[in-house]
Amino acid sequence: MSASTSATTGQACLKWAGGSLPLTGPCVIGRRSDNDLHINNVQVSRRHALLMNHNDDWWLNDLGSRNGIQVNGIRLTSARRLRDGDEIRIATHRIVFHNSGQGPPHHSTIIGRTTQVATPVTDEGSPPAVACELIIATVEGTVLEGAKPAHWFFGKSLERAPGAAHYVLPPLVREWLALQAAEKGLGAESLEVCDGGRRVLISLARLKQGHFFLLVREESARTSIERLQALGLTEREAEVMHWVYEGRQNPEIARILSVTVHTVNRHLEHIFKKLGVDNRQKAVKFVMDRLAVL
């Protein structure tokens, strides 16, 4: 494995046998030599994984790799908040995440690995779930890599001329790209695109040889619910569990979802059975330990 030479010293870093990489900004891991962390292994995808900093936390996301990623022995199914001491496995490579800025670790009884003590749920709720992806485009907005996430984030607003090989990002994003090109990426402020209940943020991770590495993320309750469904919950059960995590009591959840308290109680019974727990606190801890996305 080899790391980009542009990194500088920082609190968070990745370490592996024989090397380390300080994390000072978005970090792309993969087989291509232009990644921040280059892994020369045929089992590793060209763009395998992405690390990004959000609200002083580091998140790891699988960029649609062929062979996936494991964190503390569990396959990554969605963006995951990393904690000091987390072990990342990509193919045969073991990488450990360290963050000296985090608090003292504790031992998780769910996955048997060292993880940071989770922040308690407050009345204000927890940070929103995050979906983060990488899109590589030209200054004209032509999508060179990441067509699938581009569709997920922008949908029908993507454009493609008849017979063209690539999609083109929406006009608003293209205007923003032109501004970033004029500033040479030095004063790159994020672009916020709101569509209904969705809030998509686009930031420039890197500008290299005319290629814009765009970090695109969404924060929403819907993202949280979709992640919870990965645990085998139905959509309605995931909605109930999302609001349980937010600290809402059953009567409040019933009002939010326009159902009866009896219905919420019944859904919770099913949720507890599926998660193998017997109360709300254990359900919240299970979700945090398994997904770490809420």
Side-chain angles (χ1 to χ4, degrees):
M1 289 189 289
S2 60
S4 168
T5 57
S6 62
T8 57
T9 304
Q11 285 187 322
C13 69
L14 298 176
K15 291 187 177 182
W16 60 90
S20 66
L21 173 65
L23 296 173
T24 59
C27 174
V28 183
I29 302 172
R31 196 173 72 248
R32 285 187 57 132
S33 59
D34 63 348
N35 290 314
D36 301 288
L37 180 53
H38 169 226
I39 304 179
N40 187 19
N41 185 320
V42 294
Q43 294 183 316
V44 178
S45 298
R46 293 182 305 161
R47 311 286 185 197
H48 200 105
L50 169 69
L51 279 94
M52 61 163 281
N53 188 277
H54 175 62
N55 289 343
D56 296 326
D57 285 314
W58 285 94
W59 294 73
L60 175 67
N61 196 47
D62 189 330
L63 293 175
S65 68
R66 184 175 69 253
N67 293 315
I69 304 167
Q70 287 193 343
V71 178
N72 299 333
I74 298 174
R75 177 141 182 165
L76 198 69
T77 58
S78 59
R80 179 185 177 108
R81 182 188 294 113
L82 293 178
R83 297 158 179 172
D84 186 42
D86 277 349
E87 178 187 280
I88 303 165
R89 284 199 176 263
I90 298 177
T92 58
H93 301 272
R94 176 181 178 269
I95 306 167
V96 179
F97 171 80
H98 291 285
N99 189 353
S100 59
Q102 289 186 329
H106 79 292
H107 210 69
S108 168
T109 58
I110 298 294
I111 53 180
R113 299 285 182 176
T114 302
T115 56
Q116 184 192 5
V117 178
T119 303
V121 177
T122 65
D123 292 339
E124 290 77 23
S126 59
V130 175
C132 55
E133 295 287 349
L134 178 72
I135 296 174
I136 300 177
T138 66
V139 66
E140 294 84 11
T142 301
V143 178
L144 301 177
E145 296 182 39
K148 185 175 180 180
H151 273 282
W152 193 83
F153 284 111
F154 303 112
K156 294 181 180 179
S157 62
L158 282 178
E159 301 173 7
R160 185 164 71 170
H166 300 283
Y167 286 92
V168 177
L169 295 170
L172 182 63
V173 182
R174 298 202 300 268
E175 293 174 12
W176 178 79
L177 284 173
L179 289 174
Q180 305 317 311
E183 296 291 332
K184 297 182 179 180
L186 298 177
E189 293 186 0
S190 297
L191 173 67
E192 181 174 331
V193 179
C194 296
D195 181 13
R198 301 185 69 188
R199 178 174 177 261
V200 176
L201 294 174
I202 308 164
S203 56
L204 180 60
R206 188 194 311 163
L207 174 55
K208 186 175 183 179
Q209 297 178 343
H211 292 177
F212 290 76
F213 286 60
L214 304 178
L215 199 63
V216 188
R217 67 182 188 265
E218 180 183 3
E219 307 162 18
S220 67
R222 172 51 50 189
T223 303
S224 168
I225 290 165
E226 289 175 358
R227 299 298 187 254
L228 287 165
Q229 286 181 265
L231 294 176
L233 304 183
T234 66
E235 182 176 2
R236 180 59 91 183
E237 289 167 352
E239 289 175 335
V240 171
M241 189 61 223
H242 167 76
W243 292 113
V244 167
Y245 188 92
E246 292 289 339
R248 303 301 180 91
Q249 298 302 311
N250 291 7
E252 294 178 279
I253 297 173
R255 286 196 297 273
I256 292 170
L257 300 180
S258 299
V259 297
T260 65
V261 175
H262 174 74
T263 297
V264 173
N265 291 337
R266 191 174 73 251
H267 282 310
L268 280 174
E269 290 175 4
H270 295 161
I271 291 168
F272 293 165
K273 184 176 181 181
K274 289 182 177 181
L275 301 186
V277 300
D278 56 14
N279 60 51
R280 300 165 72 95
Q281 290 73 25
K282 290 180 181 179
V284 168
K285 185 178 186 303
F286 179 91
V287 166
M288 291 185 71
D289 282 335
R290 289 299 299 271
L291 295 183
V293 298
L294 294 174

